[in-house]
Amino acid sequence: MIIFCCVHFLTEILSKWPLFGSSFFAVKRSGDQQILALNRTGVHFLHIVTHKTLSTVPFSEVISTRKVRAGEGATLYLELKCGNLFQQRVARLQTDQAHEIARLVRQYITMHRREFL
């Protein structure tokens, strides 16, 4: 019983942390090495050293993802299109994990849309 109470208490506290439940990926964005964190609240870009959040994109603003190979060097990029009908921006991320990131983003977007149906 005591263990259950401790686990429940810790879960309640930890689940309120902004990056709770995140999957983390190393990416290069605009030439800068950063950490990409994906969780139920959106896409978070973190400073590689301090781990402070540089920017966050909620899944309601993610329009699409696209995997792109640049040249024969097989450098893999993930393009993350964000915004709305009137204003859109594309974040181009260099990463070897583009397929996994795109899959997780699609899953989170699907979950997000189901919440609002």
Side-chain angles (χ1 to χ4, degrees):
M1 183 66 176
I2 293 174
I3 294 173
F4 175 75
C5 290
C6 290
V7 170
H8 180 69
F9 176 73
L10 285 175
T11 304
E12 286 293 316
I13 291 173
L14 295 176
S15 66
K16 292 180 177 136
W17 289 4
L19 298 176
F20 176 76
S22 294
S23 296
F24 297 94
F25 303 93
V27 299
K28 241 184 204 177
R29 178 180 170 205
S30 304
D32 293 331
Q33 191 73 31
Q34 295 181 359
I35 299 171
L36 177 97
L38 295 174
N39 66 19
R40 67 194 182 319
T41 62
V43 180
H44 309 271
F45 293 97
L46 311 176
H47 189 275
I48 190 75
V49 176
T50 65
H51 300 163
K52 289 188 179 180
T53 301
L54 302 172
S55 63
T56 298
V57 180
F59 288 114
S60 60
E61 293 182 17
V62 176
I63 298 168
S64 65
T65 61
R66 182 172 78 132
K67 297 172 289 260
V68 179
R69 284 213 184 269
E72 291 186 33
T75 301
L76 188 58
Y77 293 91
L78 177 71
E79 290 183 347
L80 186 67
K81 187 186 287 187
C82 306
N84 55 43
L85 292 174
F86 304 108
Q87 186 177 7
Q88 299 176 1
R89 62 197 179 284
V90 175
R92 191 169 200 194
L93 313 172
Q94 181 180 346
T95 177
D96 292 333
Q97 296 172 303
H99 298 290
E100 180 66 16
I101 295 169
R103 185 186 65 76
L104 276 174
V105 167
R106 280 192 309 273
Q107 285 180 333
Y108 276 119
I109 288 172
T110 300
M111 286 174 35
H112 185 271
R113 288 183 179 152
R114 284 183 185 156
E115 287 178 11
F116 293 102
L117 288 179

